[in-house]
Amino acid sequence: MHRVVIVGAGFGGLFAARALRRADVEITLINGTAYHLFQPLLYQVATGILSEGEIAPPIREILRKQDNVDVRLGWVTGVDAAAKKVSVEAPGLEYEVEYDTLIVAAGASQSYFGNDQFADHAPGMKSIDDALELRARIFGAFELADLQTDPEAVERWLTFVVVGAGPTGVEMAGQIAELAHRTLPGQYKRIDPRKARVILVDAIDAVLTSFGDQLATRALRQLHLLGVEVELKTKVVGVDATGIDVETPRGHERIGSMTKMWAAGVAAPPLAKALAEATGAPTDRAGRIEVRPDLTVPGHPEIFAVGDMMSLDGLPGVAQVAIQGGRYAADQIKRRLAGKEPRGPFKYLDKGSMATISRFSAVASVGRFRFSGFIGWLMWLAVHLLYLVGFKNRVTAVLHWAVSFLGRGRSERVSTFQQAFARAAVREYGDPFERLPQPHRHP
């Protein structure tokens, strides 16, 4: 039977697998986690609105009725294009998987623009680990501010800096502002959460640049109404435990802050480099694979690259590109096996962009139409409900949204010391599996 290996269970990989559910193929789906992650809602996990389980359903549960899929845990570290096999690392072991067709949908990683040391003090927003760490840092900041006796220390703990004024940064800043001004007031004896500063920083001169000037201006106005301080044309040049250094039109400045988060850029994952070296495929400046119009790697029609790690015609790194690319690759495979002519070049249907700023306020760009305010928020709500995987997750998400948007509470405020400091512990002590005896490789 034709062997299809899919790398990654994000939007591209998962939708490719589901599109092959009735095909006469044997699918091996390899992913670094046991769950599919709905990344656009990570910021809601970080700010206590949703639980991680609602945006990260188990892959095996999603595909439980699809008999032609074998789900395996692991990170693909290399591709042998000549032998048609991939090398995989899992906790404590390594293995290889052979393929006839390979779909690589490994997503993207956080980019610190050459300053990876910033990650220690300014987590990104790419994984559940990131979101849970930020949740612990955000809610912990208010708790620790309440214990301080030095006014300067209180100010540092109540200053939150978000780097990056794209959709993730805008949504994150808006939700922290709502926490400070709407959810937490009245719950502390020694601090007033409403005095918290939320600062949104970006080196460019506008927020939400991909939405156009009209919606960007409306979003900026709404951020100001929420009390968010927006610092544009401001470049981050240093990040440490107690603050952030920036270059602004006013000159060099330091912002004292104990809680920073990074939403400023993305880069191709390490697998993109490994795939390029294995196939001789060209890459763009961000390290993404430059694919042919049919999403295959040049010189290797048996290898598809889809989603955030592929570069084609300037397509954005958004969920719809990955979803449509995964379905397109699956259709091409079915056509090949049926002896049919391949489809024409991949054509992306832009279904629009959306970002929520606060409760009942969002911006949406759909074709020639622009929406903002409550109508934009209703559209955002409907689209995100549509693409949440699983009926149970949709129901619980609606209930938690009702608690957060209609009331003043947050359903998921639990955070732990381990969540806040696990990153530092892993860096200090290393991978525990590396200290265990290594088993033999197996196919």
Side-chain angles (χ1 to χ4, degrees):
M1 191 175 290
H2 191 87
R3 299 166 300 180
V4 178
V5 169
I6 300 175
V7 180
F11 290 108
L14 183 64
F15 277 79
R18 294 171 78 170
L20 290 169
R21 62 187 178 276
R22 294 190 179 90
D24 191 20
V25 297
E26 190 176 82
I27 303 169
T28 302
L29 177 60
I30 306 169
N31 196 57
T33 66
Y35 51 80
H36 160 73
L37 178 59
F38 191 90
Q39 274 193 347
L41 290 176
L42 270 175
Y43 77 96
Q44 294 204 359
V45 174
T47 54
I49 297 175
L50 298 178
S51 74
E52 61 272 25
E54 286 159 346
I55 69 164
I59 301 167
R60 296 180 188 278
E61 184 176 311
I62 298 170
L63 301 176
R64 66 189 182 279
K65 296 181 180 180
Q66 190 167 334
D67 295 333
N68 64 346
V69 177
D70 176 17
V71 178
R72 298 195 186 184
L73 180 71
W75 298 97
V76 174
T77 57
V79 178
D80 187 335
K84 291 188 176 181
K85 60 184 180 182
V86 295
S87 301
V88 190
E89 291 184 359
L93 59 88
E94 300 176 351
Y95 61 95
E96 294 179 339
V97 182
E98 297 180 345
Y99 65 84
D100 296 308
T101 300
L102 176 65
I103 301 176
V104 186
S109 59
Q110 194 72 60
S111 173
Y112 288 86
F113 307 108
N115 298 287
D116 291 347
Q117 71 277 10
F118 291 176
D120 292 343
H121 306 292
M125 188 60 72
K126 289 295 179 185
S127 69
I128 290 291
D129 286 333
D130 290 336
L132 292 178
E133 179 179 357
L134 282 169
R135 181 198 289 176
R137 290 189 179 208
I138 292 167
F139 287 104
F142 289 99
E143 298 298 329
L144 291 169
D146 193 53
L147 298 176
Q148 306 302 315
T149 56
D150 179 2
E152 291 187 2
V154 173
E155 184 177 354
R156 280 197 302 273
W157 280 109
L158 290 182
T159 298
F160 302 86
V161 179
V162 181
V163 182
T168 300
V170 166
E171 290 171 333
M172 193 73 180
Q175 285 304 320
I176 297 173
E178 288 217 325
L179 266 178
H181 294 284
R182 189 168 181 273
T183 303
L184 300 180
Q187 299 185 20
Y188 295 88
K189 296 294 185 183
R190 286 166 290 277
I191 62 168
D192 182 357
R194 289 171 294 190
K195 293 183 178 180
R197 296 178 66 197
V198 182
I199 305 172
L200 181 62
V201 173
D202 205 307
I204 58 177
D205 60 357
V207 302
L208 299 177
T209 53
S210 62
F211 285 70
D213 293 343
Q214 181 183 6
L215 290 184
T217 300
R218 292 180 183 178
L220 183 61
R221 185 185 307 121
Q222 184 63 29
L223 287 169
H224 285 153
L225 290 174
L226 287 171
V228 176
E229 301 174 34
V230 182
E231 295 286 348
L232 302 175
K233 298 182 181 179
T234 300
K235 181 181 179 181
V236 177
V237 295
V239 180
D240 57 38
T242 60
I244 185 168
D245 293 293
V246 294
E247 294 290 346
T248 77
R250 302 180 296 271
H252 182 89
E253 296 181 4
R254 178 164 176 85
I255 303 171
S257 170
M258 302 300 290
T259 309
K260 290 82 62 180
M261 52 220 72
W262 193 274
V266 295
L271 181 57
K273 181 179 180 181
L275 181 59
E277 292 175 349
T279 61
T283 58
D284 65 8
R285 293 178 60 185
R288 299 177 300 176
I289 301 291
E290 294 185 358
V291 296
R292 293 171 52 81
D294 63 355
L295 304 187
T296 60
V297 174
H300 291 272
E302 77 283 3
I303 302 177
F304 292 87
V306 304
D308 292 351
M309 65 173 293
M310 66 98 171
S311 176
L312 177 68
D313 300 333
L315 291 175
V318 296
Q320 274 299 325
V321 171
I323 290 170
Q324 294 176 34
R327 287 172 170 165
Y328 175 90
D331 185 60
Q332 292 288 70
I333 293 169
K334 289 188 287 187
R335 285 174 173 270
R336 289 177 185 177
L337 295 178
K340 296 181 180 179
E341 287 292 317
R343 280 177 59 182
F346 173 69
K347 293 183 179 180
Y348 169 57
L349 175 60
D350 186 357
K351 295 186 177 182
S353 302
M354 299 180 181
T356 180
I357 303 163
S358 61
R359 71 187 192 109
F360 308 144
S361 179
V363 291
S365 173
V366 183
R368 296 182 293 105
F369 301 99
R370 303 290 182 267
F371 304 93
S372 62
F374 185 67
I375 294 176
W377 184 80
L378 287 177
M379 294 178 65
W380 173 90
L381 199 71
V383 167
H384 284 72
L385 270 180
L386 176 66
Y387 285 101
L388 265 179
V389 176
F391 176 77
K392 179 184 70 175
N393 290 338
R394 294 190 183 104
V395 171
T396 55
V398 168
L399 291 176
H400 286 171
W401 282 340
V403 169
S404 300
F405 299 145
L406 300 180
R408 293 179 179 269
R410 295 286 167 116
S411 302
E412 301 291 337
R413 284 176 57 176
V414 173
S415 59
T416 69
F417 191 80
Q418 287 188 15
Q419 290 170 348
F421 296 104
R423 183 190 306 265
V426 170
R427 186 178 65 253
E428 179 74 20
Y429 296 107
D431 183 353
F433 286 98
E434 292 181 357
R435 297 191 290 272
L436 297 176
Q438 294 298 307
H440 296 294
R441 296 164 67 93
H442 65 83

